Structure formats: structure tokens, C-alpha cells
Amino acid sequence: MINRERIINNFIEMVKIYSPSKKEGKFANYLIDLLKNLGGEIYLDNGYTKYNGDAPTIFAKFKGNLAGEGVTLCAHMDVIEPCENISPIIENGIIKTDGTTTLGGDDKGGVASIIEVLRVLKENNLSHQDIYVLLTPGEESGMLGAKSIEWKNVPSNIRPATNMIVLDNAGRAGIIAHSAPCQYNFTFTFRGKKAHAGIEPEKGINAISMAAAAIAQMKIGRINELTTSNIGSITSQFPTNVVPDYCSFHGEVRSHSEETLENIIDEYENIAKNVADKFNGEYTLELSYNYPILKPIDDLKFGKEFAKVYEEIGVESELKVIGGGSDSNILAKEGFNSIIVGVGMYKVHTVEEYLVIEDLLKTTEAILNYIIKYLK
């Protein structure tokens, strides 16, 4: 029932709409009109005002004629730059660009899949439970849209179903991510004492040396199977004839264990304190909890059920623990039970990004089959 030509054309039409993070307004309006035309009841959350964006989080409900809680289909509207004047090319079963921009398969491939499912249900008058659609802005900028939703204002009749299929996983159809880590961002700042580096360096306390000594003692990279850490930037800018009295470095640590993550942060802070004491300098730590752990709340029942759907259409399934964060992590705080599936997007966030058409079709077919065969 899926219309191959239509879903491809819709995807191409959508990627041509410029929609980087915080500038998804035009694309959001396009989707609002489309969802209304498909019969959706719409609610718009204007949390974007909190972070100077221009697009709401779109809630849509498609009333079914079968009893049951239904299912939520979720994707994000923003695309990684450079994403202006995208020129899609169809070649050998994939959609790519001319190499000057990203494609936007992340996540307009997911959006295209959702739209095609809704179109097939409507044009074939298929029976189904309630279907909810959640489309967020600002995902690529730290899940800003999902974080900014005012849940207390969402009408109860349009609040999404607990079981949520998030179409935002890189890779082939059949991969089902069900668990993802929480993440802290950290910034350590060391303060020393200025002095003339050529005349009296002994009177100075070198903040760069303090930062270097601390970093050298910190476990960075793969810490264990489910925990990673990284330092992404170091800031200190002084002329070479001045002993620098300021240096900061910024990084992240993520883990599937809250306890492990907190222990690592404690270890880092102890290292910083010892270094500062040794140099007779000072340090400060700024810590932000970026997103919580994602894990199943139903002993993986939903994930296993969807894996079965993939197998039934001849797609090898794989239940997977991943290392990245997404809207799913934020939505988990509200009690949603998410699985993250792929629509064939590869080399995302690069100008070499491409989308495998067959994967897009297979995941769309799997979602449609889940709705009409499993939600009875």
C-alpha cells in the first residue's frame, strides 16, 4: 500500500525547505498544513520562545475507530548545517546531495515515513487505534524543543500515547534502539597568577599548566562498555610573555549508569582540587545535566514486539543499546516508552550524508503493519 514514488517525492520536497535548528518555522508551517489536511487535530507548544527559535513543537492526533491507547510517532524538524539550497540526487537506490550540503535525512526521512503512514491509513480507510504525532524543533541543538515543552498546557485529549516510535536512528531498517545514556557537560576553570614570563616567571602560577596536569590524570575516551568521556575545547589566550592566570576546558561524560557518571565527576573534581592545591591556584566546576537515561519501562516488550514486525516483512531485526542522546531521553522523563528506529540514513551530519530508499520503505511498512495488525 505504500506509494514509493510519493514518499520519495515528499522527502525531496521537504529537504528543499531550509530548516536548521532555531529556524524551522517555514517547515513547521508546511507540516501543520499537511497534518491538518490529513485530518489531524493540532496543538502547538510555543516553547521556542525560551531559546529564541521560530517553530513550535507540533502535536497531532488522528482519531481511530478502535479502542486502545494507540501509538505515538515522533521525529524532529531541524537539520544540521549546511542545509540551504539542497540539491538531492537519486542514484543507485540512494538519495544524496551534490556534496555541498547535508541531505537532511536526519530527520526528514523520519518525517517522510510518518506522513506516508498517515496517507496510506486515510486513503485506504484502514481501521486503527488513535495515532499521535510529535514533531520537535531544535533537536540537533541539545533537544531544545523537547526540553521546552510545557506539558501542563498540553490538552489531555491530545497528550501522546505512552508507546512511542522515534524515527531518528542512523543506519538500516531493523535496528531498534531501546536504551541510551544520560549525559553531563562540565567546564573546569583554573585560575593562577599573572607574571612576566621572561623576567619573573617564578612569581606566576600558570593556569594552563594546572589544566594540563588535571587533564593528564583524567580518564578520557572509552571508560567502560557503557561509559564514555571527552574534552572538546580548551580556552586560554595570552601573549607568550605573560604567565597565564586563566584556563578552562569543556567536556562531557555519558553513561548508562547514573551512579557511574556521578562517580566519574567526583573523581574529576578530586583531581582538579589536588592540582589546584599543588600549584597554589584555584579551580571552579560548572556542571549541567544535559539529558537523562533512556531505558524500557516494560521489560522491552514494545521493542521485542516491533522487532517481530520487522521480521515478518523480511527485515532482520536487532535490539540495541546506543551511546547517543536524542529527544527520546528527554521524553522519557515524562513517562514515554520509546524505541528509536532507522530509515536508512548514513553519514549524518556530513555533506556525504545519504538515504537508502529501500530502508525508508521497509521501516514505513513496518510501522504501518504494526498499526493495523498489532494495535487491534
Side-chain angles (χ1 to χ4, degrees):
M1 291 183 284
I2 293 167
N3 187 320
R4 177 188 178 95
E5 183 177 357
R6 179 173 63 192
I7 193 172
I8 292 171
N9 289 340
N10 183 219
F11 173 73
I12 289 174
E13 180 179 37
M14 290 192 296
V15 298
K16 290 182 178 180
I17 302 173
Y18 183 57
S19 60
S21 299
K22 299 185 180 182
K23 297 179 181 178
E24 309 94 336
K26 184 177 179 182
F27 186 42
N29 290 335
Y30 166 93
L31 291 171
I32 291 165
D33 289 343
L34 197 160
L35 292 168
K36 285 180 178 177
N37 289 336
L38 287 170
E41 179 184 357
I42 306 296
Y43 171 75
L44 304 178
D45 178 273
N46 294 325
Y48 66 88
T49 57
K50 300 175 184 177
Y51 59 86
N52 297 318
D54 70 354
T57 293
I58 303 171
F59 290 76
K61 179 180 179 180
F62 294 82
K63 182 68 177 173
N65 59 349
L66 299 178
E69 187 185 5
V71 70
T72 301
L73 308 179
C74 178
H76 65 84
M77 296 181 285
D78 56 323
V79 176
I80 287 289
E81 293 272 28
C83 58
E84 193 168 15
N85 299 319
I86 294 175
S87 297
I89 299 168
I90 302 176
E91 184 177 276
N92 298 324
I94 69 170
I95 306 175
K96 60 181 183 178
T97 74
D98 59 5
T100 62
T101 66
T102 57
L103 175 64
D106 179 11
D107 192 23
K108 291 179 181 177
V111 177
S113 180
I114 292 170
I115 297 302
E116 181 62 17
V117 166
L118 296 173
R119 281 174 165 158
V120 171
L121 290 171
K122 180 180 175 66
E123 67 190 9
N124 291 281
N125 196 29
L126 297 173
S127 294
H128 60 83
Q129 294 181 19
D130 292 345
I131 299 169
Y132 300 83
V133 174
L134 183 64
L135 302 174
T136 63
E139 193 272 350
E140 300 289 9
S141 294
M143 290 80 81
L144 292 175
K147 287 178 178 178
S148 301
I149 295 171
E150 293 285 355
W151 286 102
K152 67 180 184 296
N153 296 332
V154 179
S156 58
N157 68 304
I158 208 167
R159 182 180 173 89
T162 299
N163 281 349
M164 179 178 291
I165 303 172
V166 179
L167 292 89
D168 190 25
N169 202 11
R172 67 173 179 85
I175 296 175
I176 303 168
H178 56 81
S179 299
C182 54
Q183 185 207 51
Y184 273 114
N185 284 341
F186 60 81
T187 299
F188 281 95
T189 299
F190 287 89
R191 294 191 180 275
K193 183 179 179 181
K194 287 182 183 177
H196 194 293
I199 298 173
E200 47 185 10
E202 303 84 3
K203 294 184 178 180
I205 300 174
N206 193 309
I208 294 178
S209 294
M210 284 193 284
I215 291 171
Q217 297 177 56
M218 292 177 174
K219 297 175 183 175
I220 303 295
R222 173 68 63 185
I223 294 174
N224 61 41
E225 184 181 1
L226 298 177
T227 308
T228 61
S229 178
N230 186 56
I231 293 173
S233 65
I234 301 175
T235 303
S236 186
Q237 196 160 0
F238 290 83
T240 59
N241 64 349
V242 176
V243 174
D245 68 344
Y246 172 90
C247 184
S248 70
F249 59 87
H250 180 69
E252 66 157 57
V253 58
R254 60 180 74 188
S255 179
H256 289 263
S257 164
E258 295 266 7
E259 183 180 3
T260 298
L261 188 147
E262 290 169 2
N263 287 341
I264 291 169
I265 292 296
D266 286 344
E267 181 181 328
Y268 284 1
E269 187 161 21
N270 285 333
I271 290 170
K273 182 180 184 305
N274 290 336
V275 167
D277 289 346
K278 180 180 178 181
F279 280 77
N280 292 319
E282 297 178 348
Y283 85 94
T284 57
L285 169 61
E286 295 177 31
L287 197 61
S288 62
Y289 189 55
N290 211 16
Y291 49 80
I293 287 172
L294 169 68
K295 59 183 178 180
I297 61 175
D298 62 351
D299 198 28
L300 208 52
K301 178 183 176 183
F302 183 34
K304 290 177 179 177
E305 194 170 57
F306 204 78
K308 186 178 179 182
V309 177
Y310 269 129
E311 297 287 346
E312 288 174 351
I313 63 172
V315 177
E316 180 185 358
S317 64
E318 179 184 357
L319 293 164
K320 194 170 183 180
V321 175
I322 59 174
S326 69
D327 281 342
S328 305
N329 294 68
I330 305 303
L331 297 169
K333 290 191 300 185
E334 294 298 319
F336 294 104
N337 187 42
S338 297
I339 56 173
I340 313 169
V341 300
V343 292
M345 43 180 157
Y346 294 86
K347 296 189 177 182
V348 298
H349 297 186
T350 77
V351 296
E352 298 175 329
E353 182 187 3
Y354 65 93
L355 184 81
V356 177
I357 294 171
E358 196 62 26
D359 285 316
L360 173 62
L361 297 173
K362 288 297 185 183
T363 286
T364 305
E365 182 182 357
I367 294 171
L368 182 62
N369 284 4
Y370 175 75
I371 290 170
I372 62 179
K373 293 182 179 180
Y374 281 76
L375 298 183
K376 294 183 178 179

